[in-house]
Amino acid sequence: MPAQAYAGKECVCQLRRGICDQSCVQGMLETPFYIACLRLTGRRCVVIGGGEIGLEKVEGLLACDGEVTVIAPEAEPAIAEYAREGSIGWERRAYGGPADLQGAFIAIAATDDSDVNIAVFEDAERRTMLVNVVDVPPLCNFILPAIVRMSPLAIAISTAGASPTLAKRMKREIEAQFGEPYARLAVLLNEARGWAKGTLATYQERKEFFEGIVNGQPDPIALLRADPPGGASEGSEPAGERAVRELIARAQDAHALAVSRA
């Protein structure tokens, strides 16, 4: 349920009900969303609105290397600072229509003006662009989930708009359960990908190789969790990481031995 869509509030969607009757969100929970991870590096991303929510969206796009332009007459000081340092572009004016979306990959509307939000949605839809009007699911062709980000891991949590508060709780719990050791393991496994692609001839062989490490004994996550906070002293490798590298090396040696005996 979008934040504004409670009975008695002014309607903010394209149905223009006057007073919200929540009809715009009927069926949202049954909508099957196609989950994808987008590569934004080098892509133009337009944020219309310079308030606190606009700032949140700007920072999310910058975190993924998007080329961000903000269109807003006024903006939060942090947005102005990003523009001053050259991290984003800021066009200090109101949304001007379809031309503002020229060449954009994503448009996000975060204004408190329903007419502007509807216009952004309709202009973007005509261009088959990705568009999100914050807190108004019917004016979105994609929604933004809560993200647990521990580079290189990213875990998305979506309630299909039913409860952002529940998504935030799940985010906290997932961060606690799947923390830094999982991110470290992902990096270590990635180091072995080149060897696997060059040595193991089939997808099934590569799958079995990595499953044997991730699901084997000793448990690599348990090894990494045993490292003290902050890891080893400068210049030395934490014991858990060293143990996982040894696990991977033994798995590689076992494969070489199997090949030699074949």
Side-chain angles (χ1 to χ4, degrees):
M1 189 74 63
Q4 298 101 320
Y6 294 103
K9 296 291 186 180
E10 182 181 355
C11 176
V12 295
C13 77
Q14 77 274 39
L15 299 182
R16 300 180 185 274
R17 300 297 194 199
I19 297 300
C20 176
D21 63 4
Q22 303 185 37
S23 60
C24 66
V25 295
Q26 296 302 313
M28 283 297 296
L29 299 187
E30 289 75 40
T31 301
F33 287 97
Y34 185 78
I35 306 299
C37 296
L38 302 177
R39 180 180 293 175
L40 298 185
T41 302
R43 294 187 181 274
R44 184 169 186 254
C45 305
V46 178
V47 176
I48 298 93
E52 291 183 5
I53 296 176
L55 172 61
E56 175 188 323
K57 304 310 175 187
V58 165
E59 291 180 333
L61 294 168
L62 286 176
C64 298
D65 295 328
E67 294 187 357
V68 181
T69 296
V70 172
I71 299 174
E74 303 293 335
E76 288 288 307
I79 290 178
E81 177 61 20
Y82 285 134
R84 187 197 64 77
E85 70 188 22
S87 296
I88 67 171
W90 177 21
E91 300 186 13
R92 303 182 66 169
R93 57 176 176 79
Y95 177 67
D100 285 344
L101 305 182
Q102 184 68 33
F105 181 63
I106 283 179
I108 297 177
T111 83
D112 56 5
D113 187 319
S114 297
D115 289 335
V116 171
N117 291 340
I118 292 167
V120 172
F121 172 75
E122 292 176 346
D123 291 343
E125 276 283 275
R126 281 192 288 269
R127 285 161 175 71
T128 63
M129 287 173 50
L130 291 171
V131 58
N132 178 282
V133 176
V134 177
D135 279 341
V136 191
L139 296 182
C140 304
N141 57 27
F142 77 99
I143 60 176
L144 292 165
I147 301 293
V148 176
R149 196 180 299 278
M150 297 166 289
S151 183
L153 300 183
I155 303 171
I157 306 107
S158 172
T159 61
S163 177
T165 302
L166 176 59
K168 289 179 181 177
R169 171 178 172 167
M170 294 173 66
K171 177 181 177 179
R172 291 194 303 269
E173 294 179 358
I174 288 171
E175 284 174 331
Q177 182 176 356
F178 300 101
E180 182 257 0
Y182 284 82
R184 290 165 62 198
L185 180 58
V187 172
L188 292 169
L189 293 172
N190 183 65
E191 293 175 0
R193 281 171 59 84
W195 176 88
K197 286 184 176 181
T199 307
L200 306 177
T202 67
Y203 167 81
Q204 187 61 32
E205 286 179 306
R206 294 189 291 273
K207 178 174 178 285
E208 291 174 357
F209 171 77
F210 285 110
E211 285 183 347
I213 297 168
V214 172
N215 301 321
Q217 292 297 325
D219 178 6
I221 291 295
L223 293 172
L224 293 170
R225 279 180 171 157
D227 283 335
S233 59
E234 186 176 353
S236 62
E237 185 176 40
E241 288 189 17
R242 185 167 60 252
V244 172
R245 290 187 193 279
E246 291 170 358
L247 275 181
I248 294 172
R250 286 198 296 271
Q252 292 170 328
D253 291 342
H255 169 77
L257 181 60
V259 169
S260 68
R261 291 176 174 175

